[in-house]
Amino acid sequence: MSCSSSLILPSISSNGFRRFCPMKLDKSRVFMSSISVGSRIDAVDDALFADYKPTNAFLFPGQGAQAVGMGAEAQKVPAAAELYKRANEIMGFDLLDICINGPKEKLDSTVLSQPAIYVTSLAAVEILRAREGGQQIIDSVDVTCGLSLGEYTALAFTGAFSFEDGLKLVKLRGEAMQDAADAAKSAMVSIIGLDSDKVQKLCDAANEEVDEANKVQIANFLCPGNYAVSGGVKGIEAVEAKAKSFKARMTVRLAVAGAFHTSFMNPAVSRLEAALGATEIRTPKIPVISNVDAQPHADPDTIKKILASQVTSPVQWETTMKTLLSKGLKKSYELGPGKVIAGIVKRMDRGAEIENIGA
């Protein structure tokens, strides 16, 4: 699972927002459109969605959710199958074949897994649309977010950019992150069974034993008892060695290319900035919650800056989910491969209603 860097959760009050009535907007096909939906206004108030009151949410998975065989179900729905054909033209090879047949090692690569998950998640939207009552569910969604990579999927769904432009960005993002990972020896590890304060102390203890190039930090605030740490390989090894003495239940080394959502990804930022600068981004139709600060943003230029900084910033997923639940979220849908997000939501609120829509 792709993860992130800074160490302190933003303080977001669950009752510090005024009540908000969702705008009545036609969301039926915004994510597929490559024409101007939600046209750019010269001066957009970035706080347009600050008072959002969530009812139904679409949640999109991140890297790590991929599995050989995904995309097969989508071929039964013409609109979903069409997305893979459009993706093949952009990617320059048969992405669907790798999704369905693997091999696993190829699909698991950062360069391929990110576009594959993006396309498969949006194909899941089409699968939902095709079922009885599916369009009504899509129309009822008034907030969306995605885990790391999934933030791009969420923005595409809301019409912030076209399917094609989003795929080009995700393709470049995967390549830039892979190149950054190749430039230094780094890794990620999940710490299971500790709260975030304890994980921070564990990181501090590990950092006392390594040089600057091997420092570690919390990269993904996933949910209580599950946090990912990123950093230099020696620092990660120190975290693993000390985890038991901090009473961690277990550690799990993550099968990712390197220390995502930390300064190790700095080489990727300029490439992302250039690509984002050349991409038309519009105000989303509904709030999209950022991984960087767990807030919705409306200003296209701000969204561009946040997406560029996202690869070096910690994923604030725990705060995002806590905020949505505390603000009255009634039902969530996880769209795409895997059920990682459903597990997180249930861990945070056993009574939460969430449905998985696979592809």
Side-chain angles (χ1 to χ4, degrees):
M1 176 109 6
S2 154
C3 300
S4 75
S5 94
S6 350
L7 311 171
I8 301 173
L9 283 167
S11 175
I12 298 176
S13 168
S14 62
N15 57 12
F17 300 95
R18 298 184 303 279
R19 295 180 74 80
F20 168 76
C21 294
M23 292 181 292
K24 301 298 182 185
L25 295 168
D26 177 13
K27 307 184 288 285
S28 60
R29 286 195 176 270
V30 292
F31 79 92
M32 293 259 313
S33 175
S34 52
I35 61 173
S36 181
V37 291
S39 327
R40 172 80 188 261
I41 303 167
D42 285 340
V44 177
D45 180 4
D46 191 53
L48 179 67
F49 299 123
D51 301 331
Y52 77 102
K53 187 179 186 302
T55 305
N56 297 310
F58 272 5
L59 310 176
F60 293 102
Q63 190 175 342
Q66 71 275 358
V68 173
M70 71 184 196
E73 196 67 24
Q75 302 316 296
K76 301 173 185 176
V77 176
E82 178 64 22
L83 293 182
Y84 288 92
K85 292 177 183 175
R86 289 159 65 183
N88 290 347
E89 293 176 10
I90 291 169
M91 298 298 293
F93 56 83
D94 193 341
L95 181 65
L96 177 63
D97 179 62
I98 296 170
C99 287
I100 293 178
N101 300 311
K104 182 180 184 301
E105 296 73 25
K106 195 170 184 179
L107 181 59
D108 283 349
S109 71
T110 298
V111 170
L112 287 178
S113 62
Q114 294 196 24
I117 293 166
Y118 171 87
V119 176
T120 302
S121 297
L122 291 174
V125 176
E126 291 306 324
I127 289 174
L128 173 60
R129 193 194 306 281
R131 85 182 195 191
E132 187 176 355
Q135 185 63 59
Q136 286 79 1
I137 291 172
I138 292 169
D139 291 342
S140 75
V141 172
D142 50 18
V143 68
T144 181
C145 52
L147 189 53
S148 190
L149 153 74
E151 188 169 339
Y152 286 78
T153 319
L155 286 162
F157 168 71
T158 66
F161 42 66
S162 68
F163 169 79
E164 285 82 1
D165 282 349
L167 180 56
K168 290 172 186 176
L169 287 171
V170 167
K171 177 178 182 289
L172 180 138
R173 180 182 189 265
E175 292 166 353
M177 291 174 73
Q178 181 68 57
D179 289 346
D182 291 343
K185 292 181 178 179
S186 62
M188 295 183 71
V189 62
S190 278
I191 312 298
I192 310 299
L194 296 181
D195 63 29
S196 56
D197 288 341
K198 285 274 181 61
V199 177
Q200 181 57 58
K201 289 174 182 174
L202 172 58
C203 289
D204 292 342
N207 285 337
E208 289 177 4
E209 299 186 1
V210 297
D211 60 18
E212 197 63 34
N214 282 283
K215 299 289 188 191
V216 297
Q217 56 190 129
I218 301 176
N220 191 345
F221 293 91
L222 200 56
C223 64
N226 189 344
Y227 302 94
V229 170
S230 284
V233 170
K234 289 181 180 178
I236 293 297
E237 289 171 349
V239 166
E240 291 169 331
K242 292 176 177 295
K244 277 288 195 302
S245 66
F246 278 79
K247 307 292 192 244
R249 197 161 80 243
M250 63 188 295
T251 62
V252 180
R253 184 73 73 98
L254 299 177
V256 295
F260 296 162
H261 299 288
T262 71
S263 59
F264 280 88
M265 292 294 109
N266 276 337
V269 174
S270 60
R271 290 171 65 182
L272 269 172
E273 286 175 338
L276 287 161
T279 302
E280 182 188 0
I281 294 186
R282 301 170 287 270
T283 298
K285 293 285 190 177
I286 59 175
V288 178
I289 311 303
S290 163
N291 281 257
V292 173
D293 61 4
Q295 298 278 10
H297 296 275
D299 174 54
D301 289 336
T302 301
I303 292 170
K304 289 182 181 186
K305 289 173 185 173
I306 282 174
L307 289 177
S309 66
Q310 192 219 55
V311 291
T312 57
S313 304
V315 173
Q316 302 292 355
W317 192 254
E318 180 180 5
T319 299
T320 296
M321 288 293 98
K322 281 181 177 177
T323 302
L324 290 175
L325 292 167
S326 69
K327 287 169 73 66
L329 183 68
K330 290 183 172 58
K331 184 166 183 179
S332 299
Y333 298 84
E334 178 178 13
L335 295 106
K339 296 183 179 179
V340 171
I341 292 175
I344 293 170
V345 172
K346 284 292 186 182
R347 176 159 188 156
M348 297 182 76
D349 181 353
R350 289 184 181 178
E353 191 177 355
I354 184 164
E355 180 180 348
N356 178 267
I357 311 292

